[in-house]
Amino acid sequence: MPSEHPDRAPVRVLRRAGSLLGRGRVALVRGWAHPRLKWPKRVAAGAVVLLVVPVLTAGVSLRLQYAGDPAPGTWTRERDAVWLGHAWVDGRNGEAQLAELVQRMRGTGVRDLYVHAGPLEHDGSLRAARYPKARWLVDAVRRELPGVRVQAWLGDVLSTEGETGMDLGAPATRERVVRSAGQVLDAGFAGVHFDLEPLHSGDRDYLSLLDDVHAVTRAHHAPLSVAAHQIDPLPSLHSVAGFVAGHPKWWSQSYFGAVARRVDQIAVMSYDTAMPMESLYGGYVAQQTRLALEATPRGTDLLMGLPAFHTDDIGHHESAETVAAATRGARLGLSRQDARRERFGVALYVDFAATPGDWAAYRRGWGAPKSD
């Protein structure tokens, strides 16, 4: 990443873009007047402009959103979370790993541990054999980290985009998911955390499921939380993506709000964005934070996901999607939309892939109370 002042970079991009577009405009005008320029070439030239200009504009916009300084006081509210792998409840992790976890958590704002206790079966049921060490973990965390809650992370692949998976449209399946939620609470977990994917915007069956599960968690005085898809960065983008690729990816802001009103905690999976640069990714997180804050009721905890994992593929660039960029983006979005919001935090994904550098970036960027 070039070492340049963040506020000057967009200006240089605009100047370069203006120069390129200026030359392109002259060429296009001449081309249209040239009798030998064939229609396919004209169409191709126009298509290039139609593709390049919106992408360039979006990039400049995200870069601008990453500029500036976060507002004073935009640090942890001690409502943060971490997604933990299945090794914590199936017996693979023991006292040595627990000691490391306790050391890592102390002095941070982490209040919730989402521990993978599933996956759920496609019919909505959950085998108790999947989490034989749950009681050991819950008791150990309660003893070593008072005030930290261990929530059962329950997920499955939905049948929304394939022939196999969980069908939320089946009432019997939803009923079994509700029973599974009660089952993990009876096993000692302090809350229920759902991650069901791919979940399409507007899915009414999911909303019905949340209503039913929330009745169970309230009866246990336990929180209900969910991992949420990102919000449309452009109006109705999920519809366009669904039509073109069959995978909507985003939720509409109104649907995000409908989900947020039915839970106690909503954690945005603000990663796997395909952003090629750290500054663009940070600007995207700032934008997502603003959109999520607008849609989330003040009585619901809103958490922004931090990419504490290291893979490189078409959807995730390790050099761009960093914990440092995500924490700064979240602070900028919070600063601009609702700097005093108390029910706000971040959530690290995932413990078994996080490096010491990821934890250090979380602590520096957000995770320890500071005086501005």
Side-chain angles (χ1 to χ4, degrees):
M1 180 177 167
S3 56
E4 56 188 3
H5 192 284
D7 294 325
R8 295 175 187 164
V11 176
R12 280 199 282 274
V13 172
L14 285 170
R15 287 174 179 167
R16 293 171 191 157
S19 176
L20 289 171
L21 289 174
R23 290 198 294 271
R25 179 181 56 79
V26 173
L28 283 172
V29 171
R30 290 175 180 170
W32 286 110
H34 202 292
R36 287 178 294 181
L37 185 63
K38 303 298 183 183
W39 275 106
K41 293 183 178 179
R42 299 176 187 176
V43 172
V48 168
V49 173
L50 290 174
L51 288 172
V52 170
V53 172
V55 171
L56 184 62
T57 302
V60 172
S61 174
L62 292 179
R63 187 64 182 84
L64 287 170
Q65 293 199 52
Y66 196 57
D69 296 317
T74 50
W75 302 107
T76 183
R77 279 84 164 112
E78 300 186 350
R79 293 177 180 271
D80 305 331
V82 184
W83 279 280
L84 301 183
H86 200 79
W88 289 102
V89 293
D90 68 3
R92 283 176 289 166
N93 284 351
E95 295 296 338
Q97 291 78 18
L98 176 66
E100 293 176 3
L101 178 68
V102 169
Q103 183 63 30
R104 197 171 291 127
M105 295 298 110
R106 281 182 176 153
T108 70
V110 172
R111 184 182 65 165
D112 286 293
L113 304 178
Y114 304 141
V115 182
H116 191 264
L120 294 165
E121 302 297 322
H122 289 342
D123 67 359
S125 62
L126 176 65
R127 289 187 287 125
R130 292 195 181 277
Y131 50 88
K133 298 280 286 185
R135 179 62 67 177
W136 167 81
L137 178 65
V138 170
D139 291 344
V141 170
R142 185 179 294 122
R143 180 182 67 250
E144 301 293 338
L145 295 168
V148 174
R149 303 180 297 193
V150 179
Q151 298 196 40
W153 167 12
L154 303 178
D156 191 22
V157 175
L158 299 180
S159 60
T160 50
E161 296 176 15
E163 296 180 358
T164 61
M166 181 185 292
D167 178 12
L168 289 181
T173 298
R174 295 199 305 273
E175 290 173 7
R176 280 188 286 269
V177 173
V178 174
R179 288 200 296 271
S180 295
Q183 177 181 321
V184 293
L185 294 175
D186 290 338
F189 286 99
V192 177
H193 177 80
F194 282 130
D195 179 13
L196 301 172
E197 304 179 50
L199 184 60
H200 292 182
S201 183
D203 191 319
R204 304 299 303 180
D205 294 319
Y206 183 59
L207 299 183
S208 176
L209 172 66
L210 294 179
D211 288 336
D212 293 340
V213 174
H214 210 177
V216 173
T217 57
R218 283 197 197 98
H220 284 76
H221 305 288
L224 170 60
S225 68
V226 295
H229 289 254
Q230 298 157 31
I231 300 172
D232 281 336
L234 297 172
S236 299
L237 187 58
H238 71 280
S239 298
V240 176
F243 177 78
V244 173
H247 175 56
K249 182 178 174 65
W250 297 277
W251 286 351
S252 71
Q253 191 180 39
S254 62
Y255 186 70
F256 185 97
V259 173
R261 288 192 296 274
R262 287 168 165 81
V263 298
D264 303 296
Q265 194 176 65
I266 186 166
V268 184
M269 296 181 285
S270 41
Y271 35 75
D272 293 334
T273 65
M275 293 293 165
M277 297 172 58
E278 195 174 28
S279 57
L280 297 182
Y281 172 64
Y284 183 83
V285 174
Q287 179 196 56
Q288 286 292 307
T289 301
R290 176 182 60 80
L291 293 171
L293 283 167
E294 289 175 350
T296 304
R298 301 191 70 84
T300 301
D301 288 347
L302 170 64
L303 280 66
M304 302 304 296
L306 305 182
F309 61 100
H310 301 270
T311 57
D312 267 303
D313 53 36
I314 191 171
H316 176 85
H317 300 294
E318 179 183 357
S319 61
E321 293 193 15
T322 65
V323 172
T327 53
R328 187 169 187 271
R331 290 187 66 204
L332 287 167
L334 179 65
S335 300
R336 293 164 184 158
Q337 182 63 33
D338 192 356
R340 296 183 180 276
R341 170 107 176 200
E342 282 300 315
R343 302 193 74 143
F344 183 87
V346 298
L348 286 90
Y349 180 87
V350 56
D351 76 306
F352 55 79
T355 66
D358 293 327
W359 284 104
Y362 159 69
R363 286 177 175 271
R364 283 195 309 270
W366 173 261
K370 300 173 180 67
S371 57
D372 293 282

